[in-house]
Amino acid sequence: MKQLFLITLLVAAVTARSQDTKQSYSMSLNEAISYALEHNYSAVNSTRDIDIAKAKKWETTAAGLPQINGAVDYTYNFVIPKSVVPAQFVDSTAALANLRRLNSVRSKALASAGL
C-alpha cells in the first residue's frame, strides 16, 4: 500500500514538473492585437450580445409583418338538411311565402294523419 502511494506521488511530481516548461511566442504587434481582440472575454461576450440584439430586433420586426393563415374545409351533404323550425323564428325578414307553404304542408300532414 505504501509503495502504491509512493509510485502515485512520484508520477504526480513528474507530471507537475513537466508543466514548468515555458513556451515563448513570437508575433508582431498587429498579430498580438488581433489575438487579444479575438480571445478577450469581454469582446467575445459583446459580440454575442450584438448577435442576440439582432435576433430580438428581427423577432420584433417579424411580429409586425403580415401573417398568412389558411384553412380548407369541404362538406358534401348526401341529403340536403331540412329545418323543422320555420324560417320566421330564425329570421324575421324571411319571406311570408315560405311560411304559408310550410303551413299548407303541415295542414296536409295533419289531415292525412287524421288529426
Side-chain angles (χ1 to χ4, degrees):
M1 182 71 168
K2 198 173 202 182
Q3 291 175 351
L4 181 64
F5 176 72
L6 288 175
I7 292 173
T8 307
L9 186 62
L10 181 65
V11 170
V14 170
T15 57
R17 187 126 172 93
S18 66
Q19 294 176 1
D20 286 341
T21 59
K22 295 183 181 180
Q23 295 178 351
S24 63
Y25 296 102
S26 122
M27 56 178 78
S28 69
L29 179 62
N30 289 334
E31 290 173 346
I33 290 173
S34 66
Y35 180 83
L37 289 176
E38 184 178 336
H39 293 90
N40 187 0
Y41 289 122
S42 62
V44 170
N45 288 336
S46 297
T47 305
R48 291 178 183 159
D49 289 340
I50 290 171
D51 292 339
I52 291 170
K54 285 180 183 178
K56 286 279 189 186
K57 178 185 168 203
W58 177 246
E59 182 179 332
T60 305
T61 303
L65 294 175
Q67 305 295 318
I68 297 175
N69 294 326
V72 176
D73 191 17
Y74 177 75
T75 303
Y76 177 73
N77 294 324
F78 296 108
V79 178
I80 297 175
K82 296 179 183 177
S83 176
V84 294
V85 178
Q88 292 291 331
F89 290 152
V90 179
D91 185 12
S92 62
T93 60
L96 290 175
N98 290 340
L99 185 60
R100 288 187 186 122
R101 185 177 52 86
L102 183 64
N103 285 335
S104 66
V105 170
R106 187 176 352 150
S107 63
K108 287 179 185 177
L110 290 173
S112 68
L115 299 174

